[in-house]
Amino acid sequence: MTDLADSPAVRRLADWDHGRLEGLADEYDTPLYVMDLDRVKENYTRFAAAFPDAEVMYAAKAHTGKAVLEAVLEAGADIECAAWGELQRSIDAGADPNTLQYTAVNPPDHDLDYAADLAEEAPGLTITIGATDTLDRLAERGYDGRIAIRINPGIGTGHHEKVATGADAKFGIPYERVPEVADRVREEFELVGLHAHAGSGVLTEGLEEHCRAIERVGEMARRVGDDELEFVDVGGGYGVPYREDEEPLDLERTAEMVREAAGELEATLKLEPGRYVVADAGLILSEVNTIKEAPDATVVGVDASLATLIRPAMFGSYHPMLNVSAPDRDSHPVTVGGPVCTSADVFAHDRPVARPERGDILAIGNAGSYGYELASQFHSQPRPAEVALENGQSRVVRRRESLEDVTRVEQ
């Protein structure tokens, strides 16, 4: 078990060893993803300790790298997967397929084929459905095993409208239809749980709305008979502070509010943190290559781009930034952008950063969740390497792609 005595609730960029980060950039080149696996284990252990009577899974979609999956398994987590590839990668990392939970969202035929075949060998696999069509398609494949019903609670929460899944018709069975769907599942399959996920990036000030969704899940569980369910899964969505002036999630208060919102349950409460476990365990190192004085801004060009980290372009997300080469220089407001030919390829506008010079290394923080997962090869840019830190050592866990990797699938 990870010792939490010296593990702060959030790791800021200032807490990293800047000299070591410069050394990693020099040794492994840039742009470079860095993942601290010790921090991953600390974060999972801290979260699980706040919910001692619950089952805490890891939501794989936040970061499916093998080293990260191995780390959360070592910390004692089971894994929740949103696609067949995540199921396979979890198994490759050492997960028992009988412990996996597959949350199917409009699953392609290949995904359902894979899940149904896997369940023949691993009957403990749980498939979470969000549409009755999925039940029909599973029945066509001869599946009659473990099913959880995903509820649409009608309440969405989180840092951006694109992640407020709890109010999006794409996700889950409409609330009032859940009892009839539960009756059908009991007749044709094995109903083991209810599931909901309200949104993502929830901090303490957003907990009340988040818990309103959890209240509805608890109410529905009692309505359909929670004494006949194994679990009630209230999903993840628990956030970390991206901005320097934001406070970390108050886990003690969070646990108290979640338990109160769920109410009395015979079934086991289940949670699925993803971002909370990996976000502040990862960062990107990028080298400054251009300094341009424009009429309205000082533009700093770096070798990372929206192909490396798309969250600022996709969600308008704020990521902290630090000049690890010279953190003590006077700060200067700069616009930091990459080499992709679009105005969306900007990490920060007028951001105070210790005055960058060509050749400096900038660190972009909180890149451990939905960072490498959303990386692309836009502009024929090979994806970066990823280095893991663990027990004082560093190692490459994902090599840097070459142009041959980019073009390998072409015919």
Side-chain angles (χ1 to χ4, degrees):
M1 179 72 71
T2 300
D3 182 4
L4 298 181
D6 299 318
S7 174
V10 61
R11 175 189 260 180
R12 312 283 188 179
L13 272 180
D15 299 328
W16 292 75
D17 182 331
H18 302 158
R20 187 177 192 195
L21 292 178
E22 266 208 298
L24 291 173
D26 182 62
E27 181 175 359
Y28 299 108
D29 204 1
T30 58
L32 180 71
Y33 268 91
V34 180
M35 284 299 298
D36 186 337
L37 301 182
D38 294 322
R39 180 66 183 174
V40 169
K41 288 178 275 192
E42 289 172 10
N43 287 342
Y44 174 82
T45 301
R46 185 187 313 102
F47 191 97
F51 292 90
D53 299 324
E55 180 182 350
V56 179
M57 308 185 81
Y58 168 65
K61 63 182 178 292
H63 192 300
T64 53
K66 186 176 183 181
V68 168
L69 295 178
E70 289 173 340
V72 296
L73 289 168
E74 181 183 334
D78 288 332
I79 299 177
E80 182 267 342
C81 304
W84 80 273
E86 293 178 7
L87 288 169
Q88 184 61 61
R89 293 177 76 173
S90 297
I91 294 168
D92 291 344
D96 178 352
N98 286 289
T99 66
L100 296 176
Q101 186 167 314
Y102 166 45
T103 306
V105 180
N106 300 333
D109 284 343
H110 178 275
D111 285 45
L112 287 188
D113 290 341
Y114 178 93
D117 289 345
L118 178 60
E120 291 185 8
E121 301 296 325
L125 174 73
T126 301
I127 299 179
T128 303
I129 61 99
T132 53
D133 265 7
T134 306
L135 290 176
D136 297 336
R137 296 165 66 203
L138 285 169
E140 291 168 0
R141 288 162 171 78
Y143 180 82
D144 59 2
R146 296 167 56 86
I147 292 288
I149 298 172
R150 180 167 185 168
I151 302 171
N152 185 315
I155 299 171
T157 59
H159 67 88
H160 193 280
E161 63 181 11
K162 292 181 181 178
V163 300
T165 55
D168 189 335
K170 175 180 174 180
F171 299 96
I173 301 292
Y175 191 79
E176 290 302 326
R177 290 200 57 209
V178 172
E180 67 179 84
V181 175
D183 287 341
R184 177 187 169 184
V185 172
R186 285 186 169 115
E187 290 177 2
E188 301 178 31
F189 306 87
E190 181 185 358
L191 178 62
V192 296
L194 298 183
H195 170 280
H197 178 74
S200 184
V202 177
L203 292 173
T204 304
E205 62 270 19
L207 277 173
E208 287 190 10
E209 190 72 0
H210 188 73
C211 285
R212 282 185 57 227
I214 293 175
E215 282 180 9
R216 287 176 63 81
V217 178
E219 289 167 2
M220 183 56 70
R222 288 180 286 275
R223 187 169 160 187
V224 303
D226 69 293
D227 57 330
E228 298 179 14
L229 301 174
E230 285 184 18
F231 63 83
V232 175
D233 185 340
V234 295
Y238 304 98
V240 298
Y242 283 68
R243 294 181 181 270
E244 291 85 348
D245 59 353
E246 289 178 324
E247 292 297 317
L249 187 68
D250 183 338
L251 265 186
E252 183 176 340
R253 177 64 177 145
T254 299
E256 178 184 333
M257 291 178 65
V258 167
R259 291 190 194 96
E260 183 178 336
E264 293 294 326
L265 292 171
E266 294 292 327
T268 297
L269 185 68
K270 192 181 272 194
L271 299 99
E272 303 169 358
R275 183 189 311 274
Y276 183 91
V277 176
V278 294
D280 73 357
L283 54 73
I284 296 166
L285 298 176
S286 184
E287 183 176 358
V288 175
N289 54 54
T290 303
I291 307 288
K292 179 170 65 174
E293 296 295 341
D296 298 323
T298 297
V299 178
V300 175
V302 296
D303 57 5
S305 72
L306 62 77
T308 314
L309 179 72
I310 200 172
R311 294 190 73 254
M314 180 180 288
F315 301 120
S317 301
Y318 179 99
H319 281 262
M321 193 171 295
L322 181 72
N323 186 343
V324 298
S325 297
D328 297 326
R329 283 191 202 136
D330 291 339
S331 291
H332 184 67
V334 295
T335 294
V336 181
V340 166
C341 188
T342 169
S343 297
D345 186 27
V346 174
F347 294 112
H349 289 279
D350 297 324
R351 179 82 62 84
V353 175
R355 183 176 47 80
E357 297 178 359
R358 194 187 311 158
D360 283 351
I361 301 299
L362 300 188
I364 303 171
N366 282 357
S369 63
Y370 307 102
Y372 208 109
E373 291 303 300
L374 294 172
S376 74
Q377 297 170 333
F378 186 46
H379 267 10
S380 294
Q381 294 191 92
R383 282 174 293 198
E386 184 177 34
V387 169
L389 308 180
E390 189 173 25
N391 299 323
Q393 304 297 315
S394 66
R395 70 182 193 276
V396 175
V397 292
R398 217 173 325 214
R399 67 169 174 80
R400 188 175 305 280
E401 288 184 339
S402 65
L403 184 59
E404 288 72 23
D405 293 315
V406 175
T407 60
R408 192 181 309 279
V409 297
E410 294 181 358
Q411 297 185 37

